[in-house]
Amino acid sequence: MIDTYIKNNKDNFIEDLFDILKIPSVSSDSKSKVYIIETANMLKQKMMDIGLKAVEIMETDGNPVVYGEYILDEKLPTILIYGHYDVQPAQPFNLWDTPPFEPVIKKTDLHPDGAIFGRGTCDNKGQFHMHIKSFEAMLKTGNLKCNVKFIIEGEEEIGSQNLPVFINKYKDKLKNDVVIVSDTNIISNEVPCITTSLRGMAYIEMTLSFSNRDLHSGLYGGIVANPISALSKIVGSLHDENNSITIKDFYKDVVDRSDRLEAEDERVMQDYFENKRKDIGVDSYYNEKDYSISDSFGIRPCLDLNGIYGGHTADGAKTVIPSSATAKISMRLVPNQSKDNIYKITKEHLKSLVPSHLKASFKDHGGGDPYSVSKNNKGYIAAEMAMKESFGRKPLAFNSGASIPIMGVLEKELNSKCILMGFGLDSDCIHAANEHFGLFNYFKGIETICLFHKYFYNLMN
């Protein structure tokens, strides 16, 4: 009955999603506040229209959270769905084949059935919308077995700055047995996966200063310090010849492990990383020596220089010695590492490398701790059973190199595990021009989510 309902309402589902995609709810742009509010109001109405109860827009010190619930019976298992309605900026617009906030369906080689193109299609409007429509399908066909709660926030793309306080304040209201998040990918449309770990992140900005202004390189060259030169030496020393991080005690809490897969799945992962390599146009990977690409990607920490600037960066020549230079450095962390501790030891290490004639200042740009879930968790088992039925193949347990900082907060405050069951693809161009989400993925997601509810109910009873 559920399959028939979904099939008969495909056009309505897509039209409903298009309404949400058309609103440019860019959280990083203060001028888009009106669109943030418009999106929240639209979500509230759409959630009420399909039968969710106690739907409300809940204020925070930033963008509002849209909450809705349907409680069948307090004794039944409760599933909390997390998502975000804010999106990344769409600039530069000239790189888009079609306007980013005018969603269209186009067929591609990878998506012969069509894909929806537009900002937010995969990240995350299309993916949380799957949960809204799966709830509708279960409710309308009498197949809803679990209590459902939705929390859709509007600040994920700017670090979920106000959500931790919100979750702490309303932890009783958000009480649940499992949290489901669809903000991740599958390996391919033939090979599903469940993300079992996310790396944490610590982000630090370092500025070296010398003079009170930029100096003429002819009048001062050779007799004054150059902050860019000094900064380059410092950041260049953060890795050794094996591409290992040189910060003292950086690896102290890292568990040295390697997740071994069955032979067939190992081949799948090898193909996955080979396709990623080809997609970005490089001849080879450059990873930590003595570790596999898969290990370096998912279960080993890393440090990356995200930007370095100072002096003249525009076109043409300008002969100056800069008064200051800045580097932005991010570190992806693995289970047992602490964001706060890594920030502390990194800052101490960088300070120790600064020449005495230069001044150093630092900014902490936040981040989050790593996250992981056991394959023995009932939520994971239900997700595995659901994906196996819908895709016809047991999903891989996938260690992702990415970060979703709020996952740790949800687990800590609500005392429940987050199951990361996404349906996007690496090729969906999230955060880039021509973002899209396959129709196959969208509807396969709705189907799988309905199955998850069924299996989770069975496991909990």
Side-chain angles (χ1 to χ4, degrees), residues 172-217:
D172 290 338
K173 187 184 189 74
L174 301 175
K175 185 178 179 181
N176 65 83
D177 295 290
V178 69
V179 181
I180 296 295
V181 182
S182 294
D183 200 9
T184 52
N185 295 344
I186 53 176
I187 298 293
S188 70
N189 285 351
E190 293 74 39
V191 183
C193 67
I194 303 168
T195 299
T196 52
S197 69
L198 293 164
R199 290 194 288 195
M201 185 171 69
Y203 200 125
I204 190 170
E205 179 179 313
M206 176 185 188
T207 298
L208 291 186
S209 304
F210 178 68
S211 55
N212 60 9
R213 65 183 186 276
D214 288 354
L215 303 174
H216 189 292
S217 63

Side-chain angles (χ1 to χ4, degrees), residues 214-244:
D214 288 354
L215 303 174
H216 189 292
S217 63
L219 298 177
Y220 291 93
I223 62 172
V224 298
N226 189 313
I228 290 180
S229 298
L231 187 61
S232 297
K233 290 179 182 179
I234 291 172
V235 297
S237 73
L238 296 178
H239 293 92
D240 63 18
E241 66 277 6
N242 297 320
N243 203 29
S244 295

